[in-house]
Amino acid sequence: MKIGALKESHEGEARVGITPSSTAFLKKLGHEVFIETGAGEKAGFSDQDYEAAGVTVLPSAQELTDGVDVVVKVRQPQDGEIGRMREGQTLISHFYPAQNEDLLAKAKDQGITAIAMDMVPRISRAQKMDALSSMANIAGYRAVIEAANNFPRFFTGQVTAAGKVPPAKVLVVGAGVAGLAAIGAATSLGAQVFAFDVRPEVAEQIESMGAEFVYLDFEEETKDGAETGGYAAPSSPEFREKQLEKFRELAPEMDIVITTALIPGRDAPVLWTKDMVEAMKTGSVIVDLAAEKGGNCELTEPDQRIVSENGVVIIGYTDFPSRMATQASELYGNNIRHFVTDLTPGKDGVIDHNMEDDVIRGATVAHAGEVTYPPPKPKVAAIAAQKPKEKKKDLTAEERRAAEVAAFKAETKSQVTLLAGGGILLLLIGLVAPASFMSHFIVFVLACFVGFKVIWNVAHSLHTPLMAITNAISSIIILGALMQIGSGHWLVVILASLAVLMAGVNIFGGFLVTRRMLAMFQKS
């Protein structure tokens, strides 16, 4: 089959659907690859780069559409672009079918197969084709870069001879793919990051990235706030009021706010109101990643950077991935080639549009002269949200004391049983063993018991002291073994040599592990 990428016609769009690096994979599947001249220039890929990768460069969109079987785009197609296509051709692009009924009808009338990359189901097998996640990842990262560019202070805290500089406080609203990317970027720049999401199960992810999860004292928060596909479900009016109340409390403290709350096919909810903007400090920055659908901030203007009356910068750009066009094109090109891999199971250049396949069926919005949107639920369940851990019941002082007494009694009982059993065992061995053996054996047993209790009770956060203890024990073993190597008996010499070898490996291995663990906490 012949696969070709069109030059994007949307104003300001710099991405391209096929890159020189993704071409190699498409050719391995048996396809011929074409591209419209100049399609990759804004993303940093010249026509010469494509030709060197074995791509045929065609001079116009009409010639490319006429000559290929599969047309690849990034943005949703224009009426004219669908109008140029012939019956039986396949179009792969973003489509947003819920908001584009006219485009769907045109694709049906034209007799083309329309594959919407924004409709790839969120199941494990399809993660490599999930273009929405790929672009959201870039948008979240770029949002932090834009915020830093407009913020008049450092992100990281500093102590200098000229004075102390506090770290910037960043609030990320929404902890989806874009939100987590923003958290990672802001944390790496040294900011003090806070994050909120209606799904409490993401709290562990947020905290593992070095941010602080903002909790609400509201019963609904303990419910599962995730819809199928990993998106947050709409909240009740009561929850929304509690949420806005919390944001009003945080607004005066925050230097940067990044909002990412958006469910595909719906208008963006207003989460950062005018009064919250007015409560923020002069020089603060709001980056609204939901600007294309109205924005999470009440004052956001799509595609504009505005400054409020109190000096707060509000960024409503809708082209964050396009501002990193080279990286975005590479990721989107990989999403495309993985999808084409599923469409070409024989790797023989023949497209097999299997409508029984969950991924292919889910992303197909028009096929064989019919509108196939919305798709049925996938046979494979979507990635399930982890249920939040149940909170421990708060105990009264009397209940806590009773629990502590019960635990102490249980521990005492187990220790008495262990000592009694050990004493009886030693007595039985002493009845048959010589006195010289028993004196050494008792010391050995006590050493094992004390060593076990010391090492077993070391906290996980103290692994380096644990290594020091084991190294000290290994050193004692080596000294004892070296003293025995001089013995005349061959068996003692062999055992002592093996003891020196194994203890030496333990010591050097302990030092290497300790060194690697310490390196994890060192900034490069």
Side-chain angles (χ1 to χ4, degrees):
M1 289 284 186
K2 296 178 179 180
I3 299 177
L6 286 172
K7 183 177 181 179
E8 294 299 314
S9 56
H10 189 277
E11 183 67 30
E13 180 57 67
R15 292 171 290 177
V16 63
I18 296 175
T19 65
S21 60
S22 67
T23 295
F25 295 96
L26 295 174
K27 291 172 74 69
K28 283 181 182 178
L29 295 172
H31 300 294
E32 294 181 63
V33 184
F34 299 78
I35 195 160
E36 182 184 348
T37 183
E41 282 183 0
K42 292 180 181 179
F45 308 118
S46 66
D47 289 348
Q48 290 74 24
D49 293 332
Y50 283 103
E51 289 172 347
V55 179
T56 303
V57 180
L58 298 176
S60 68
Q62 183 66 61
E63 192 168 341
L64 182 134
T65 305
D66 290 343
V68 301
D69 305 294
V70 179
V71 176
V72 176
K73 275 181 53 60
V74 179
R75 290 271 186 169
Q76 64 194 51
Q78 305 292 330
D79 286 344
E81 289 170 330
I82 289 184
R84 286 196 299 265
M85 297 183 70
R86 64 180 183 275
E87 185 176 352
Q89 279 185 307
T90 298
L91 171 67
I92 304 177
S93 72
H94 286 84
F95 212 95
Y96 304 107
Q99 297 110 314
N100 291 294
E101 294 182 5
D102 292 343
L103 272 181
L104 271 179
K106 195 167 185 65
K108 169 192 170 185
D109 296 340
Q110 207 76 10
I112 68 172
T113 295
I115 295 174
M117 292 302 290
D118 51 285
M119 289 298 296
V120 171
R122 288 196 159 181
I123 58 177
S124 297
R125 182 169 69 84
Q127 286 181 341
K128 58 190 175 183
M129 313 170 208
D130 189 352
L132 286 181
S133 292
S134 297
M135 298 303 104
N137 181 29
I138 292 175
Y141 174 84
R142 183 69 188 197
V144 175
I145 303 303
E146 293 290 344
N149 186 47
N150 286 273
F151 187 56
R153 293 198 289 107
F154 291 133
F155 260 54
T156 186
Q158 292 189 8
V159 178
T160 70
K164 183 179 178 181
V165 179
K169 291 186 177 181
V170 178
L171 173 65
V172 178
V173 180
V177 176
L180 292 174
I183 291 169
T187 303
S188 66
L189 288 175
Q192 185 179 357
V193 184
F194 302 83
F196 172 83
D197 197 282
V198 297
R199 301 162 296 171
E201 61 269 16
V202 303
E204 288 185 6
Q205 297 178 48
I206 290 168
E207 290 166 356
S208 70
M209 297 181 72
E212 181 179 332
F213 186 71
V214 176
Y215 288 93
L216 288 187
D217 185 16
F218 191 76
E219 184 179 353
E220 181 176 321
E221 191 192 30
T222 63
K223 299 178 182 178
D224 183 5
E227 288 189 324
T228 301
Y231 293 105
S235 305
S236 68
E238 295 80 12
F239 182 87
R240 174 178 160 77
E241 286 304 314
K242 198 72 177 179
Q243 181 181 356
L244 295 180
E245 181 183 327
K246 187 66 176 179
F247 290 163
R248 288 189 180 95
E249 177 187 328
L250 293 172
E253 303 175 18
M254 294 300 128
D255 298 303
I256 293 166
V257 176
I258 298 173
T259 62
T260 70
L262 182 64
I263 300 174
R266 297 177 183 168
D267 291 335
V270 175
L271 302 176
W272 207 260
T273 57
K274 182 180 179 182
D275 63 296
M276 297 176 195
V277 176
E278 292 171 348
M280 296 178 73
K281 299 184 288 286
T282 299
S284 301
V285 180
I286 298 172
V287 183
D288 194 341
L289 292 180
E292 194 166 9
K293 294 299 178 183
N296 296 137
C297 177
E298 191 175 2
L299 302 183
T300 296
E301 294 184 15
D303 294 311
Q304 300 294 321
R305 173 194 179 277
I306 65 170
V307 181
S308 68
E309 293 181 0
N310 60 321
V312 176
V313 177
I314 304 171
I315 298 172
Y317 301 149
T318 61
D319 60 347
F320 285 102
S322 192
R323 288 170 181 262
M324 298 180 68
T326 303
Q327 184 66 75
S329 297
E330 290 285 11
L331 293 181
Y332 185 72
N334 285 336
N335 295 143
I336 292 290
R337 60 105 168 170
H338 282 303
F339 200 100
V340 174
T341 300
D342 271 26
L343 288 172
T344 319
K347 298 183 179 180
D348 52 2
V350 177
I351 296 290
D352 178 16
H353 201 96
N354 180 14
M355 293 293 276
E356 296 299 315
D357 184 287
D358 276 341
V359 179
I360 295 174
R361 175 64 188 88
T364 303
V365 295
H367 180 63
E370 297 292 335
V371 171
T372 57
Y373 173 82
K377 289 185 178 180
K379 295 184 286 292
V380 180
I383 302 170
Q386 184 182 359
K387 297 291 182 183
K389 294 180 180 179
E390 292 184 5
K391 294 182 179 178
K392 293 182 179 179
K393 180 183 176 182
D394 291 333
L395 301 177
T396 64
E398 195 172 317
E399 289 173 331
R400 278 198 302 272
R401 180 172 175 76
E404 289 172 0
V405 170
F408 176 76
K409 287 181 178 179
E411 186 178 358
T412 302
K413 184 178 180 181
S414 66
Q415 289 178 347
V416 169
T417 304
L418 182 63
L419 287 172
I424 294 171
L425 182 62
L426 284 175
L427 182 61
L428 293 175
I429 294 174
L431 292 175
V432 295
S436 60
F437 170 81
M438 285 303 298
S439 63
H440 292 293
F441 182 68
I442 290 173
V443 172
F444 171 74
V445 170
L446 289 175
C448 290
F449 177 76
V450 172
F452 170 78
K453 296 298 288 185
V454 169
I455 294 174
W456 187 261
N457 289 322
V458 172
H460 293 297
S461 59
L462 299 176
H463 277 252
T464 301
L466 176 57
M467 294 297 177
I469 293 171
T470 56
N471 285 348
I473 295 172
S474 298
S475 300
I476 296 172
I477 293 172
I478 285 181
L479 289 174
L482 287 172
M483 292 176 66
Q484 296 299 322
I485 283 180
S487 173
H489 197 285
W490 64 271
L491 181 58
V492 175
V493 173
I494 292 174
L495 292 175
S497 300
L498 289 174
V500 171
L501 174 64
M502 289 185 286
V505 169
N506 190 44
I507 289 174
F508 291 113
F511 279 123
L512 288 174
V513 170
T514 301
R515 187 171 180 274
R516 293 192 65 178
M517 290 180 66
L518 291 174
M520 292 169 60
F521 299 96
Q522 294 174 349
K523 291 186 177 181
S524 57

